[in-house]
Amino acid sequence: MLLAQLLDRAGTGVWAAACVLYFTFVIGLDAGQVGLLLGASGVAGIAGSPLAGHLADRFPVRSLLIGAHLLRLGTLCLMLVVTDFVLLLFVVAVTHLGDRGAKTLEMLFATRVAGDRRATYQALSRSSANAGYALGAGLAAIGLAVGTRGAYQVLILADALSFLVVAALVWRTKEPRGRGLVVPPAGPADAAGPAGRGPWRDRGYLRFVLLDIPMHLDDSILGIGIPLWLVGRTEAPHELIPAFLVVNTVLVVLLQLQVSARVETARQAAGAVALYGVATFACCALLAGAGAGGVWGASAALLAAAVLATAAELVRSVSSWELAVRLAPKEARASYLGVAGMAQSVQKSAGPLLLTGVVMAAGPAGWLALGTAVAGLSLVQRRSSLRRLDRLERLERTPPVPAASG
């Protein structure tokens, strides 16, 4: 599965690096149309996670995951021949729907296989994913340097080929017995939410998912906020921007296992959420002051901010999924985790707009306000998660009520 994930992310990295230029220079779309395409794909991605979780409660996860990869394969191939904007809008939306669904199914499958060692698997998963993204970006750089229509088409085919190979690898992976993540109810301890009502009517779990959205903002801060702040508000050289990705990739590969080793229980994961808030606040504070530091001061502040954003990512990648699993009732875990996966999708759609339209428009004060808000919400998330865990523990200590005899 780790090899499949590396190849999947490599293909995704190729497409992420090339898609905007492909739509602009090969298809001939203007900036507004490209923005609409990417916005539609983000909205479609929000639906991908809960849909995948819903289906995983009813069908084998491996079969669904293979289907998601083949769906992405088909839609990418369609992009080679579709030039009509309306059709392209549909194709891109379906591609991103399959992409988010595949990532949710991938983690559902891994959760079943890894069991109690899911934190360790998550660490290895993050390392392989980052290596894959870096590999994909490097391959894309070669094609972009050539810059011809044929070069762009080769990049798309490379992405499509990665999904075909990944589908084959998943097909060869043995799936644990049973369907989805459904297990027989084990008594009151499983009843974390209203019995039989599902995640959409479980207010406690929905509160966790809602609070988990700002706990993913490190992604937008690192990929969008820091580079744009460098260009628009500091004297740091533009050549520094690729270094942010290098810092992130290297630190994740080197440190993710060590961080995961310190977050092995649900209560440790809840505590780590507060550390996420501290790291994000420190990152935002550095960005707020970066504009007043001159060339060297701004460069140092931005690099340090990238390190702190990566530290937040290291913590979040372990704590978020661990809590999503442990706070969900076992008998409906797949559908619950599908809803939990929406947090990242919503952040990917709303995060860039928040940073560019609100935070950066307000200047340094905007960064300080964002850091303070995330730090405060992280404490709320920690407290809310611990309360739900306490409730689970009380239910575990409650003996099951014997069934009435006939």
Side-chain angles (χ1 to χ4, degrees):
M1 281 298 294
L2 291 175
L3 175 59
Q5 191 172 46
L6 185 145
L7 293 175
D8 181 308
R9 300 309 187 270
T12 302
V14 168
W15 175 245
C19 65
V20 172
L21 296 179
Y22 175 78
F23 291 142
T24 302
F25 296 115
V26 177
I27 303 297
L29 303 182
D30 58 38
Q33 290 174 316
V34 172
L36 183 57
L37 276 180
L38 299 180
S41 68
V43 173
I46 295 173
S49 294
L51 177 60
H54 177 76
L55 293 174
D57 268 337
R58 291 156 177 78
F59 303 99
V61 176
R62 186 180 69 162
S63 300
L64 292 171
L65 184 54
I66 293 172
H69 289 315
L70 294 179
L71 174 65
R72 298 155 83 195
L73 167 67
T75 53
L76 276 174
C77 290
L78 282 175
M79 286 189 199
L80 294 172
V81 296
V82 172
T83 57
D84 180 78
F85 176 72
V86 175
L87 290 178
L88 196 60
L89 190 67
F90 173 78
V91 171
V92 171
V94 174
T95 301
H96 209 67
L97 178 74
D99 179 71
R100 294 306 310 166
K103 285 179 172 58
T104 298
L105 292 166
E106 182 180 77
M107 291 309 301
L108 292 175
F109 190 64
T111 298
R112 293 189 63 198
V113 174
D116 291 337
R117 301 188 64 188
R118 56 183 168 266
T120 300
Y121 177 87
Q122 178 75 345
L124 294 171
S125 168
R126 290 295 304 167
S127 298
S128 64
N130 275 268
Y133 282 128
L135 174 62
L139 294 174
I142 298 174
L144 297 180
V146 176
T148 64
R149 181 185 184 93
Y152 283 108
Q153 291 175 334
V154 168
L155 291 178
I156 293 178
L157 287 174
D159 189 12
L161 178 62
S162 73
F163 296 145
L164 180 61
V165 174
V166 169
L169 290 173
V170 173
W171 179 72
R172 295 184 60 183
T173 303
K174 184 178 180 181
E175 182 177 10
R177 294 181 179 180
R179 290 188 168 188
L181 293 179
V182 180
V183 296
D190 288 337
R197 298 177 69 180
W200 295 107
R201 302 179 69 181
D202 185 342
R203 289 182 296 175
Y205 199 82
L206 290 178
R207 184 185 305 114
F208 160 75
V209 175
L210 182 63
L211 289 170
D212 201 38
I213 295 172
M215 301 303 116
H216 284 76
L217 276 171
D218 59 277
D219 179 63
S220 292
I221 291 174
L222 183 67
I224 296 173
I226 297 179
L228 289 181
W229 193 250
L230 179 152
V231 172
R233 295 297 188 100
T234 76
E235 299 179 17
H238 295 184
E239 292 79 7
L240 191 63
I241 292 177
F244 302 143
L245 176 60
V246 173
V247 166
N248 176 261
T249 301
V250 171
L251 289 180
V252 169
V253 171
L254 292 179
L255 299 179
Q256 188 70 79
L257 274 174
Q258 288 89 325
V259 173
S260 299
R262 298 177 180 273
V263 186
E264 295 181 341
T265 68
R267 290 190 174 275
Q268 289 173 334
V273 176
L275 295 178
Y276 180 93
V278 171
T280 303
F281 175 81
C283 171
C284 292
L286 282 171
L287 291 173
V295 175
W296 291 104
S299 299
L302 291 168
L303 284 171
V307 171
L308 287 168
T310 302
E313 176 189 343
L314 289 168
V315 172
R316 179 259 301 168
S317 63
V318 177
S319 62
S320 179
W321 188 256
E322 180 67 18
L323 288 173
V325 172
R326 294 296 297 271
L327 298 180
K330 295 179 182 178
E331 73 276 8
R333 186 166 281 171
S335 58
Y336 271 72
L337 293 181
V339 172
M342 291 178 62
Q344 187 173 9
S345 299
V346 171
Q347 188 284 138
K348 283 184 176 295
S349 297
L353 297 176
L354 172 66
L355 292 183
T356 58
V358 180
V359 174
M360 296 173 65
W367 284 114
L368 292 175
L370 177 67
T372 301
V374 172
L377 290 173
S378 72
L379 295 178
V380 176
Q381 177 75 304
R382 174 182 178 274
R383 184 179 180 182
S384 176
S385 298
L386 289 174
R387 283 183 173 179
R388 189 171 172 97
L389 289 170
D390 288 339
R391 180 186 179 192
L392 283 169
E393 290 179 357
R394 288 196 298 270
L395 288 171
E396 287 174 354
R397 292 192 295 267
T398 303
V401 179
S405 60

Short mmCIF file of all heavy atoms in Angstrom, two decimals, residues 278-346:
data_model
loop_
_atom_site.label_atom_id
_atom_site.label_comp_id
_atom_site.label_asym_id
_atom_site.label_seq_id
_atom_site.Cartn_x
_atom_site.Cartn_y
_atom_site.Cartn_z
N VAL A 278 -0.34 26.01 18.99
CA VAL A 278 0.85 26.78 19.38
C VAL A 278 1.77 26.97 18.18
O VAL A 278 2.28 28.08 17.93
CB VAL A 278 1.60 26.05 20.52
CG1 VAL A 278 2.94 26.72 20.78
CG2 VAL A 278 0.76 26.04 21.79
N ALA A 279 2.02 25.89 17.42
CA ALA A 279 2.90 25.98 16.26
C ALA A 279 2.33 26.92 15.21
O ALA A 279 3.07 27.71 14.60
CB ALA A 279 3.13 24.59 15.65
N THR A 280 1.03 26.87 14.98
CA THR A 280 0.41 27.75 13.99
C THR A 280 0.46 29.21 14.41
O THR A 280 0.72 30.10 13.60
CB THR A 280 -1.05 27.32 13.74
OG1 THR A 280 -1.08 25.95 13.33
CG2 THR A 280 -1.68 28.16 12.65
N PHE A 281 0.22 29.46 15.70
CA PHE A 281 0.31 30.85 16.18
C PHE A 281 1.72 31.39 16.01
O PHE A 281 1.91 32.53 15.55
CB PHE A 281 -0.10 30.92 17.66
CG PHE A 281 0.07 32.29 18.24
CD1 PHE A 281 -0.89 33.26 18.03
CD2 PHE A 281 1.21 32.62 18.97
CE1 PHE A 281 -0.73 34.55 18.56
CE2 PHE A 281 1.38 33.89 19.49
CZ PHE A 281 0.41 34.86 19.28
N ALA A 282 2.73 30.60 16.36
CA ALA A 282 4.12 31.05 16.21
C ALA A 282 4.46 31.31 14.75
O ALA A 282 5.14 32.29 14.41
CB ALA A 282 5.06 30.02 16.81
N CYS A 283 3.96 30.44 13.86
CA CYS A 283 4.18 30.61 12.43
C CYS A 283 3.57 31.93 11.95
O CYS A 283 4.21 32.72 11.23
CB CYS A 283 3.58 29.43 11.67
SG CYS A 283 3.55 29.61 9.87
N CYS A 284 2.33 32.19 12.35
CA CYS A 284 1.65 33.42 11.92
C CYS A 284 2.33 34.66 12.50
O CYS A 284 2.39 35.71 11.83
CB CYS A 284 0.18 33.36 12.34
SG CYS A 284 -0.79 32.13 11.45
N ALA A 285 2.83 34.57 13.73
CA ALA A 285 3.52 35.70 14.34
C ALA A 285 4.79 36.04 13.56
O ALA A 285 5.11 37.23 13.36
CB ALA A 285 3.85 35.39 15.80
N LEU A 286 5.52 35.03 13.12
CA LEU A 286 6.72 35.27 12.31
C LEU A 286 6.36 35.93 10.99
O LEU A 286 7.06 36.84 10.52
CB LEU A 286 7.45 33.95 12.07
CG LEU A 286 8.30 33.43 13.23
CD1 LEU A 286 8.80 32.03 12.92
CD2 LEU A 286 9.48 34.36 13.50
N LEU A 287 5.28 35.48 10.37
CA LEU A 287 4.86 36.08 9.11
C LEU A 287 4.45 37.53 9.30
O LEU A 287 4.71 38.39 8.45
CB LEU A 287 3.71 35.27 8.51
CG LEU A 287 4.08 33.87 8.00
CD1 LEU A 287 2.83 33.11 7.59
CD2 LEU A 287 5.04 33.97 6.83
N ALA A 288 3.80 37.81 10.42
CA ALA A 288 3.36 39.19 10.69
C ALA A 288 4.56 40.14 10.78
O ALA A 288 4.47 41.30 10.36
CB ALA A 288 2.55 39.24 11.98
N GLY A 289 5.68 39.64 11.30
CA GLY A 289 6.84 40.49 11.45
C GLY A 289 7.86 40.40 10.34
O GLY A 289 8.87 41.12 10.35
N ALA A 290 7.62 39.53 9.36
CA ALA A 290 8.61 39.29 8.31
C ALA A 290 8.84 40.51 7.44
O ALA A 290 9.95 40.72 6.93
CB ALA A 290 8.19 38.11 7.44
N GLY A 291 7.82 41.33 7.26
CA GLY A 291 7.95 42.46 6.35
C GLY A 291 8.86 43.56 6.85
O GLY A 291 9.30 44.41 6.07
N ALA A 292 9.19 43.55 8.14
CA ALA A 292 10.00 44.62 8.70
C ALA A 292 11.45 44.22 8.90
O ALA A 292 12.21 44.95 9.52
CB ALA A 292 9.41 45.06 10.04
N GLY A 293 11.85 43.09 8.35
CA GLY A 293 13.18 42.56 8.65
C GLY A 293 14.22 42.74 7.58
O GLY A 293 15.33 42.22 7.73
N GLY A 294 13.93 43.44 6.51
CA GLY A 294 14.91 43.54 5.44
C GLY A 294 15.07 42.22 4.71
O GLY A 294 14.33 41.26 4.95
N VAL A 295 16.03 42.13 3.83
CA VAL A 295 16.21 40.92 3.02
C VAL A 295 16.54 39.72 3.88
O VAL A 295 15.87 38.67 3.82
CB VAL A 295 17.31 41.13 1.95
CG1 VAL A 295 17.57 39.83 1.20
CG2 VAL A 295 16.90 42.23 0.98
N TRP A 296 17.58 39.85 4.71
CA TRP A 296 18.02 38.71 5.51
C TRP A 296 17.04 38.39 6.62
O TRP A 296 16.74 37.21 6.88
CB TRP A 296 19.41 38.98 6.07
CG TRP A 296 20.47 39.00 5.02
CD1 TRP A 296 21.09 40.10 4.50
CD2 TRP A 296 21.00 37.87 4.34
NE1 TRP A 296 21.98 39.73 3.52
CE2 TRP A 296 21.96 38.37 3.40
CE3 TRP A 296 20.78 36.50 4.40
CZ2 TRP A 296 22.68 37.54 2.56
CZ3 TRP A 296 21.50 35.66 3.56
CH2 TRP A 296 22.43 36.17 2.65
N GLY A 297 16.53 39.39 7.28
CA GLY A 297 15.57 39.14 8.34
C GLY A 297 14.29 38.51 7.83
O GLY A 297 13.75 37.58 8.45
N ALA A 298 13.79 39.01 6.69
CA ALA A 298 12.57 38.44 6.12
C ALA A 298 12.80 37.00 5.68
O ALA A 298 11.96 36.12 5.89
CB ALA A 298 12.11 39.28 4.94
N SER A 299 13.95 36.73 5.07
CA SER A 299 14.26 35.37 4.61
C SER A 299 14.31 34.40 5.79
O SER A 299 13.74 33.30 5.73
CB SER A 299 15.59 35.34 3.86
OG SER A 299 15.53 36.17 2.71
N ALA A 300 14.98 34.82 6.87
CA ALA A 300 15.06 33.96 8.05
C ALA A 300 13.68 33.72 8.67
O ALA A 300 13.33 32.60 9.05
CB ALA A 300 16.01 34.58 9.07
N ALA A 301 12.88 34.78 8.75
CA ALA A 301 11.55 34.65 9.34
C ALA A 301 10.65 33.74 8.51
O ALA A 301 9.91 32.91 9.05
CB ALA A 301 10.90 36.03 9.48
N LEU A 302 10.73 33.87 7.18
CA LEU A 302 9.89 33.04 6.31
C LEU A 302 10.31 31.57 6.37
O LEU A 302 9.46 30.67 6.37
CB LEU A 302 9.96 33.57 4.88
CG LEU A 302 9.30 34.93 4.64
CD1 LEU A 302 9.67 35.48 3.28
CD2 LEU A 302 7.79 34.81 4.77
N LEU A 303 11.61 31.31 6.40
CA LEU A 303 12.08 29.93 6.52
C LEU A 303 11.66 29.33 7.86
O LEU A 303 11.24 28.16 7.94
CB LEU A 303 13.59 29.86 6.35
CG LEU A 303 14.11 30.01 4.92
CD1 LEU A 303 15.63 30.14 4.91
CD2 LEU A 303 13.68 28.82 4.06
N ALA A 304 11.78 30.13 8.93
CA ALA A 304 11.35 29.64 10.24
C ALA A 304 9.84 29.39 10.25
O ALA A 304 9.36 28.42 10.86
CB ALA A 304 11.73 30.65 11.32
N ALA A 305 9.08 30.24 9.57
CA ALA A 305 7.63 30.03 9.48
C ALA A 305 7.31 28.74 8.74
O ALA A 305 6.39 28.01 9.11
CB ALA A 305 6.98 31.22 8.77
N ALA A 306 8.09 28.44 7.69
CA ALA A 306 7.90 27.19 6.97
C ALA A 306 8.18 25.99 7.86
O ALA A 306 7.49 24.96 7.79
CB ALA A 306 8.79 27.16 5.72
N VAL A 307 9.20 26.09 8.70
CA VAL A 307 9.51 25.01 9.64
C VAL A 307 8.36 24.81 10.62
O VAL A 307 7.95 23.68 10.91
CB VAL A 307 10.82 25.32 10.39
CG1 VAL A 307 11.05 24.31 11.52
CG2 VAL A 307 12.01 25.28 9.43
N LEU A 308 7.82 25.91 11.15
CA LEU A 308 6.71 25.80 12.10
C LEU A 308 5.44 25.28 11.44
O LEU A 308 4.68 24.51 12.05
CB LEU A 308 6.46 27.17 12.73
CG LEU A 308 7.51 27.61 13.75
CD1 LEU A 308 7.35 29.08 14.10
CD2 LEU A 308 7.42 26.76 15.02
N ALA A 309 5.18 25.69 10.20
CA ALA A 309 4.02 25.15 9.47
C ALA A 309 4.18 23.66 9.27
O ALA A 309 3.21 22.89 9.36
CB ALA A 309 3.86 25.86 8.13
N THR A 310 5.40 23.22 9.00
CA THR A 310 5.66 21.78 8.86
C THR A 310 5.49 21.06 10.19
O THR A 310 4.96 19.94 10.24
CB THR A 310 7.08 21.56 8.32
OG1 THR A 310 7.22 22.22 7.06
CG2 THR A 310 7.36 20.07 8.13
N ALA A 311 5.94 21.68 11.29
CA ALA A 311 5.74 21.09 12.61
C ALA A 311 4.25 20.91 12.89
O ALA A 311 3.83 19.87 13.42
CB ALA A 311 6.38 21.97 13.68
N ALA A 312 3.45 21.91 12.53
CA ALA A 312 2.01 21.79 12.69
C ALA A 312 1.46 20.64 11.85
O ALA A 312 0.61 19.86 12.31
CB ALA A 312 1.33 23.11 12.29
N GLU A 313 1.96 20.49 10.62
CA GLU A 313 1.52 19.39 9.76
C GLU A 313 1.88 18.04 10.36
O GLU A 313 1.09 17.10 10.32
CB GLU A 313 2.17 19.53 8.38
CG GLU A 313 1.85 18.38 7.45
CD GLU A 313 2.67 18.41 6.16
OE1 GLU A 313 3.23 19.47 5.84
OE2 GLU A 313 2.75 17.37 5.50
N LEU A 314 3.09 17.93 10.92
CA LEU A 314 3.53 16.67 11.52
C LEU A 314 2.59 16.24 12.64
O LEU A 314 2.22 15.06 12.76
CB LEU A 314 4.95 16.81 12.05
CG LEU A 314 6.07 16.92 11.01
CD1 LEU A 314 7.38 17.35 11.67
CD2 LEU A 314 6.27 15.60 10.28
N VAL A 315 2.19 17.21 13.46
CA VAL A 315 1.28 16.91 14.57
C VAL A 315 -0.11 16.59 14.05
O VAL A 315 -0.75 15.61 14.47
CB VAL A 315 1.24 18.10 15.55
CG1 VAL A 315 0.17 17.88 16.60
CG2 VAL A 315 2.60 18.28 16.21
N ARG A 316 -0.59 17.43 13.14
CA ARG A 316 -1.96 17.25 12.62
C ARG A 316 -2.16 15.94 11.90
O ARG A 316 -3.19 15.28 12.02
CB ARG A 316 -2.30 18.43 11.70
CG ARG A 316 -3.67 18.38 11.07
CD ARG A 316 -3.65 17.90 9.65
NE ARG A 316 -2.82 18.74 8.82
CZ ARG A 316 -2.46 18.39 7.59
NH1 ARG A 316 -2.79 17.22 7.09
NH2 ARG A 316 -1.70 19.21 6.87
N SER A 317 -1.16 15.51 11.13
CA SER A 317 -1.32 14.30 10.33
C SER A 317 -1.51 13.07 11.20
O SER A 317 -2.08 12.07 10.75
CB SER A 317 -0.09 14.11 9.42
OG SER A 317 1.08 13.91 10.19
N VAL A 318 -1.05 13.12 12.45
CA VAL A 318 -1.24 12.00 13.37
C VAL A 318 -2.50 12.20 14.21
O VAL A 318 -3.34 11.31 14.31
CB VAL A 318 -0.01 11.85 14.29
CG1 VAL A 318 -0.25 10.72 15.30
CG2 VAL A 318 1.23 11.56 13.47
N SER A 319 -2.64 13.37 14.80
CA SER A 319 -3.73 13.58 15.76
C SER A 319 -5.10 13.59 15.09
O SER A 319 -6.07 13.03 15.62
CB SER A 319 -3.52 14.89 16.51
OG SER A 319 -3.53 16.00 15.64
N SER A 320 -5.21 14.20 13.92
CA SER A 320 -6.51 14.35 13.28
C SER A 320 -7.13 13.00 12.94
O SER A 320 -8.29 12.73 13.25
CB SER A 320 -6.36 15.20 12.01
OG SER A 320 -7.60 15.33 11.36
N TRP A 321 -6.34 12.14 12.30
CA TRP A 321 -6.90 10.84 11.90
C TRP A 321 -7.14 9.93 13.10
O TRP A 321 -8.13 9.21 13.17
CB TRP A 321 -5.98 10.15 10.89
CG TRP A 321 -6.59 8.92 10.30
CD1 TRP A 321 -6.32 7.62 10.60
CD2 TRP A 321 -7.65 8.87 9.32
NE1 TRP A 321 -7.12 6.78 9.87
CE2 TRP A 321 -7.94 7.52 9.09
CE3 TRP A 321 -8.36 9.86 8.63
CZ2 TRP A 321 -8.91 7.13 8.17
CZ3 TRP A 321 -9.33 9.46 7.72
CH2 TRP A 321 -9.60 8.11 7.50
N GLU A 322 -6.23 9.96 14.08
CA GLU A 322 -6.40 9.13 15.27
C GLU A 322 -7.68 9.49 16.00
O GLU A 322 -8.46 8.62 16.41
CB GLU A 322 -5.19 9.29 16.19
CG GLU A 322 -5.27 8.47 17.47
CD GLU A 322 -5.19 6.97 17.26
OE1 GLU A 322 -4.75 6.55 16.17
OE2 GLU A 322 -5.59 6.22 18.18
N LEU A 323 -7.94 10.77 16.16
CA LEU A 323 -9.18 11.19 16.81
C LEU A 323 -10.40 10.86 15.97
O LEU A 323 -11.44 10.45 16.50
CB LEU A 323 -9.13 12.69 17.10
CG LEU A 323 -8.18 13.13 18.23
CD1 LEU A 323 -8.11 14.65 18.31
CD2 LEU A 323 -8.63 12.55 19.57
N ALA A 324 -10.28 11.02 14.66
CA ALA A 324 -11.41 10.69 13.78
C ALA A 324 -11.81 9.22 13.94
O ALA A 324 -12.99 8.88 13.93
CB ALA A 324 -11.05 10.99 12.33
N VAL A 325 -10.81 8.35 14.10
CA VAL A 325 -11.08 6.92 14.27
C VAL A 325 -11.64 6.64 15.65
O VAL A 325 -12.66 5.96 15.81
CB VAL A 325 -9.79 6.10 14.03
CG1 VAL A 325 -10.01 4.63 14.39
CG2 VAL A 325 -9.34 6.22 12.58
N ARG A 326 -10.98 7.16 16.69
CA ARG A 326 -11.34 6.80 18.05
C ARG A 326 -12.64 7.44 18.52
O ARG A 326 -13.29 6.92 19.44
CB ARG A 326 -10.21 7.19 19.00
CG ARG A 326 -8.93 6.40 18.78
CD ARG A 326 -9.13 4.92 19.08
NE ARG A 326 -9.47 4.71 20.45
CZ ARG A 326 -8.57 4.52 21.42
NH1 ARG A 326 -7.28 4.54 21.14
NH2 ARG A 326 -8.96 4.33 22.67
N LEU A 327 -13.04 8.54 17.93
CA LEU A 327 -14.28 9.20 18.33
C LEU A 327 -15.49 8.68 17.57
O LEU A 327 -16.61 9.10 17.85
CB LEU A 327 -14.17 10.72 18.13
CG LEU A 327 -13.08 11.43 18.94
CD1 LEU A 327 -13.11 12.93 18.63
CD2 LEU A 327 -13.27 11.19 20.43
N ALA A 328 -15.27 7.78 16.60
CA ALA A 328 -16.37 7.22 15.81
C ALA A 328 -16.82 5.89 16.39
O ALA A 328 -15.99 5.11 16.86
CB ALA A 328 -15.92 7.03 14.36
N PRO A 329 -18.12 5.60 16.38
CA PRO A 329 -18.59 4.28 16.81
C PRO A 329 -18.10 3.20 15.86
O PRO A 329 -18.09 3.37 14.65
CB PRO A 329 -20.11 4.43 16.77
CG PRO A 329 -20.38 5.54 15.83
CD PRO A 329 -19.21 6.48 15.95
N LYS A 330 -17.69 2.07 16.40
CA LYS A 330 -17.05 1.03 15.59
C LYS A 330 -17.98 0.46 14.53
O LYS A 330 -17.55 0.11 13.44
CB LYS A 330 -16.55 -0.10 16.49
CG LYS A 330 -15.45 0.32 17.45
CD LYS A 330 -15.03 -0.85 18.33
CE LYS A 330 -13.96 -0.42 19.32
NZ LYS A 330 -13.57 -1.52 20.22
N GLU A 331 -19.26 0.35 14.85
CA GLU A 331 -20.17 -0.32 13.91
C GLU A 331 -20.48 0.52 12.69
O GLU A 331 -21.07 0.02 11.74
CB GLU A 331 -21.47 -0.71 14.62
CG GLU A 331 -22.41 0.45 14.95
CD GLU A 331 -22.06 1.15 16.24
OE1 GLU A 331 -21.00 0.84 16.82
OE2 GLU A 331 -22.85 2.01 16.68
N ALA A 332 -20.09 1.80 12.68
CA ALA A 332 -20.34 2.67 11.52
C ALA A 332 -19.10 3.51 11.21
O ALA A 332 -19.22 4.64 10.76
CB ALA A 332 -21.55 3.56 11.77
N ARG A 333 -17.94 2.93 11.44
CA ARG A 333 -16.71 3.72 11.36
C ARG A 333 -16.45 4.24 9.95
O ARG A 333 -15.96 5.36 9.78
CB ARG A 333 -15.53 2.87 11.85
CG ARG A 333 -14.23 3.62 11.94
CD ARG A 333 -13.21 2.83 12.75
NE ARG A 333 -13.44 2.97 14.17
CZ ARG A 333 -12.80 2.23 15.09
NH1 ARG A 333 -11.95 1.31 14.71
NH2 ARG A 333 -13.04 2.42 16.38
N ALA A 334 -16.77 3.47 8.93
CA ALA A 334 -16.47 3.91 7.57
C ALA A 334 -17.24 5.18 7.21
O ALA A 334 -16.67 6.14 6.69
CB ALA A 334 -16.80 2.80 6.57
N SER A 335 -18.53 5.21 7.50
CA SER A 335 -19.31 6.40 7.16
C SER A 335 -18.88 7.59 8.00
O SER A 335 -18.86 8.73 7.51
CB SER A 335 -20.81 6.12 7.35
OG SER A 335 -21.09 5.73 8.69
N TYR A 336 -18.53 7.36 9.25
CA TYR A 336 -18.04 8.45 10.10
C TYR A 336 -16.73 9.01 9.57
O TYR A 336 -16.53 10.24 9.50
CB TYR A 336 -17.86 7.96 11.54
CG TYR A 336 -19.09 8.11 12.39
CD1 TYR A 336 -20.21 7.28 12.20
CD2 TYR A 336 -19.17 9.05 13.41
CE1 TYR A 336 -21.35 7.40 12.98
CE2 TYR A 336 -20.30 9.18 14.21
CZ TYR A 336 -21.38 8.36 13.98
OH TYR A 336 -22.52 8.49 14.76
N LEU A 337 -15.80 8.14 9.19
CA LEU A 337 -14.51 8.61 8.69
C LEU A 337 -14.67 9.30 7.34
O LEU A 337 -13.88 10.19 7.00
CB LEU A 337 -13.53 7.44 8.58
CG LEU A 337 -13.10 6.83 9.91
CD1 LEU A 337 -12.11 5.68 9.68
CD2 LEU A 337 -12.49 7.86 10.83
N GLY A 338 -15.67 8.91 6.58
CA GLY A 338 -15.94 9.62 5.34
C GLY A 338 -16.34 11.06 5.59
O GLY A 338 -15.91 11.98 4.90
N VAL A 339 -17.15 11.28 6.62
CA VAL A 339 -17.54 12.63 6.99
C VAL A 339 -16.33 13.40 7.54
O VAL A 339 -16.13 14.58 7.24
CB VAL A 339 -18.69 12.60 8.02
CG1 VAL A 339 -18.98 13.99 8.56
CG2 VAL A 339 -19.94 12.01 7.38
N ALA A 340 -15.50 12.72 8.33
CA ALA A 340 -14.30 13.37 8.87
C ALA A 340 -13.37 13.83 7.76
O ALA A 340 -12.70 14.87 7.88
CB ALA A 340 -13.56 12.41 9.81
N GLY A 341 -13.33 13.07 6.66
CA GLY A 341 -12.46 13.45 5.55
C GLY A 341 -12.87 14.75 4.87
O GLY A 341 -12.08 15.33 4.12
N MET A 342 -14.09 15.22 5.14
CA MET A 342 -14.53 16.48 4.55
C MET A 342 -13.74 17.67 5.08
O MET A 342 -13.63 18.70 4.40
CB MET A 342 -16.02 16.71 4.85
CG MET A 342 -16.96 15.77 4.14
SD MET A 342 -18.67 16.10 4.60
CE MET A 342 -18.86 17.78 4.00
N ALA A 343 -13.18 17.54 6.29
CA ALA A 343 -12.48 18.68 6.89
C ALA A 343 -11.34 19.15 5.99
O ALA A 343 -11.18 20.35 5.74
CB ALA A 343 -11.95 18.30 8.27
N GLN A 344 -10.56 18.21 5.48
CA GLN A 344 -9.45 18.59 4.63
C GLN A 344 -9.94 19.15 3.30
O GLN A 344 -9.37 20.12 2.78
CB GLN A 344 -8.55 17.39 4.38
CG GLN A 344 -7.27 17.72 3.63
CD GLN A 344 -6.32 16.54 3.54
OE1 GLN A 344 -6.66 15.42 3.89
NE2 GLN A 344 -5.12 16.79 3.06
N SER A 345 -11.01 18.57 2.75
CA SER A 345 -11.53 19.05 1.48
C SER A 345 -12.08 20.47 1.61
O SER A 345 -11.87 21.32 0.73
CB SER A 345 -12.64 18.11 0.97
OG SER A 345 -12.13 16.81 0.74
N VAL A 346 -12.81 20.75 2.70
CA VAL A 346 -13.35 22.09 2.90
C VAL A 346 -12.21 23.09 3.06
O VAL A 346 -12.25 24.20 2.51
CB VAL A 346 -14.27 22.11 4.14
CG1 VAL A 346 -14.67 23.54 4.49
CG2 VAL A 346 -15.52 21.27 3.88
#
